[in-house]
Structures are given as structure tokens and as C-alpha cells.
Amino acid sequence: MKTEEQKKELALTIIERLKQEYPDADCTLDYDDAWKLLVSVRLAAQCTDARVNVVVEGLYAKYPDVAALAAADVDDIEAIVRPCGLGRSKARDISACMKILHEKYNDKVPDDFDALLALPGVGRKSANLIMGDVFGKPAIVTDTHCIRLVNRMGLVDGVREPKKVEMALWKLIPPEEGSDLCHRLVWHGREVCTARTKPHCERCCLSDICAKAGLEKASGSEAAQRRKT
């Protein structure tokens, strides 16, 4: 198991290599206003970003601003967002959230982390995404890709709870790098270090420093040696 200093060095190397591999990586949810990202990230729970991007086109065509969505009937919202799954709960959260933005924040999204967490349907992952992407503040978004990859790479050791992973990464990653790194981890997790298939270590820019790749390589060598004997 690596020391915290070793993990910090590993984190810096990972950051630089992923910058070279995915220089333009950004959020894969489409939005042109903070409130739209807030809506999209709620819809993205257990749904692909690609589907969310299609569904919200119809939602925003009917309800083009915070005030309109705040005034919308929950049933009407649900009818539009149902393809994203969990339609009822997502519609309720979106409605309640927009009402608060309209009544308390003059249709604006607050730039305070705790204020974001107090909004219906907004958890730490969503709040960090808003803080980093909209307001350019330090953020670490521990989605499923991030959690899977940092465990495989050896930045955390068998930690799966999102908040615990986030807290561990805050100690290792320079604050100004967190948001972009998490976007790059998403891209890398989709293209190379995949969840549903065996990771493509043979074309991974991190294979020589990744804990999982090193273990698999060692295991393969041991197996080959046993076959020889």
C-alpha cells in the first residue's frame, strides 16, 4: 500500500498524462445556463448523458426558463422526463428545486456548496459539478467512473463510498486540477478503463503506473511460470 506522499506523486503523474490524452475533455451534459446543468445532472442519475441531452430539448422547449419550470405541473414535467427513468421522483425534485431558485435566488443558481446541497435532489456529486463547471471553483466529482478508476490506479484502497473517495482525493489532488481530472476520468473510463468489459490496459497511457495493471501483469507472469514448470 502506498504512502500519502507516494499517492500525491502518482496523482500528479496521472493528471499530466490524462491532460495529454484528453486535452479537451469536459462535461458531457449539454447546457448553456447553470440551472439547466442542475436539471440535467438530476436526470442523469441511472441514465446516460446522451439520453438526458435528448430529453431536455423537449423540456426546455416547453419550459424555457426557471420561472416557467417552477410554475409547471409536476405531472407535465414527469411526462417529458420519463424516458430518463425514475420519472416521478426526478420530476418532483426538479419542480421543487426550480421553485426555490425562483423564490429565494431570483432564478439564479447559488455559488455556495452548502446552499447547493440544500436544494432538492442535489447531492455532493451534483454540487461539485456545479461548483467546478459553472463557477470555476475547486471541485471533485466522484461519479462511478472516478470511483472505479482511482481504486484501480491505487489512489484509494478499496474505498467505494463517494464521499469517502472525495475526501481522500482532496488530500492528493491540487484544488485547481480536481474538476478537469474528474472529467478526464469519465472519458478514460468510457473509452479505455471500462466497467462492463475487461479494461483495455494494452492501450492505456497509465498502464505502467496503474496498480491494477501491475497486479494483472504480475499474475500473468506467475501463471506463465507455473505452466513452464
Side-chain angles (χ1 to χ4, degrees):
M1 188 177 295
K2 293 181 175 63
T3 65
E4 186 169 309
E5 286 305 313
Q6 289 173 323
K7 289 180 178 180
K8 285 182 179 180
E9 291 181 10
L10 176 61
L12 292 176
T13 302
I14 290 170
I15 288 168
E16 290 308 312
R17 291 196 188 181
L18 291 181
K19 277 184 182 179
Q20 295 177 23
E21 197 75 7
Y22 310 101
D24 302 318
D26 55 10
C27 182
T28 52
L29 290 167
D30 296 336
Y31 69 97
D32 57 12
D33 206 323
W35 70 271
K36 292 183 178 180
L37 181 56
L38 202 55
V39 170
S40 289
V41 74
R42 179 65 187 98
L43 292 177
Q46 299 183 38
C47 182
T48 65
D49 289 359
R51 175 168 289 184
V52 171
N53 289 337
V54 172
V55 169
V56 293
E57 290 183 8
L59 185 67
Y60 302 150
K62 189 170 183 180
Y63 307 109
D65 52 39
V66 171
L69 197 50
D73 189 278
V74 173
D75 290 339
D76 293 335
I77 298 174
E78 181 184 359
I80 297 173
V81 305
R82 189 176 293 119
C84 294
L86 305 174
R88 190 64 182 172
S89 63
K90 291 179 179 180
R92 283 199 303 264
D93 285 342
I94 290 170
S95 176
C97 185
M98 293 303 110
K99 280 180 168 63
I100 292 174
L101 294 187
H102 182 60
E103 296 167 4
K104 186 175 181 179
Y105 295 107
N106 298 313
D107 294 357
K108 302 297 183 183
V109 175
D111 63 353
D112 177 79
F113 188 81
D114 290 330
L116 287 170
L117 280 182
L119 295 173
V122 177
R124 297 189 67 86
K125 182 179 75 172
S126 302
N128 270 298
L129 183 64
I130 297 291
M131 293 297 286
D133 277 36
V134 174
F135 299 115
K137 296 186 177 183
I140 292 177
V141 182
T142 50
D143 69 351
T144 55
H145 291 290
C146 174
I147 294 169
R148 184 177 75 256
L149 267 63
V150 296
N151 271 280
R152 285 178 173 176
M153 294 170 182
L155 291 179
V156 299
D157 305 300
V159 183
R160 303 293 176 183
E161 184 181 325
K163 184 177 180 180
K164 288 183 179 179
V165 172
E166 179 192 335
M167 294 300 105
L169 292 180
W170 278 119
K171 297 177 182 179
L172 306 177
I173 297 169
E176 69 277 9
E177 299 286 357
S179 182
D180 288 341
L181 172 62
C182 291
H183 285 317
R184 293 187 173 106
L185 289 173
V186 170
W187 285 48
H188 195 62
R190 289 175 177 170
E191 297 182 15
V192 179
C193 198
T194 53
R196 296 185 179 180
T197 66
K198 185 178 179 181
H200 302 288
C201 299
E202 72 283 355
R203 53 186 176 88
C204 177
C205 63
L206 304 170
S207 61
D208 61 315
I209 58 172
C210 173
K212 180 176 177 62
L215 287 173
E216 290 190 349
K217 185 176 180 180
S219 178
S221 297
E222 290 176 3
Q225 185 63 34
R226 286 196 298 271
R227 286 195 296 271
K228 287 181 181 179
T229 57

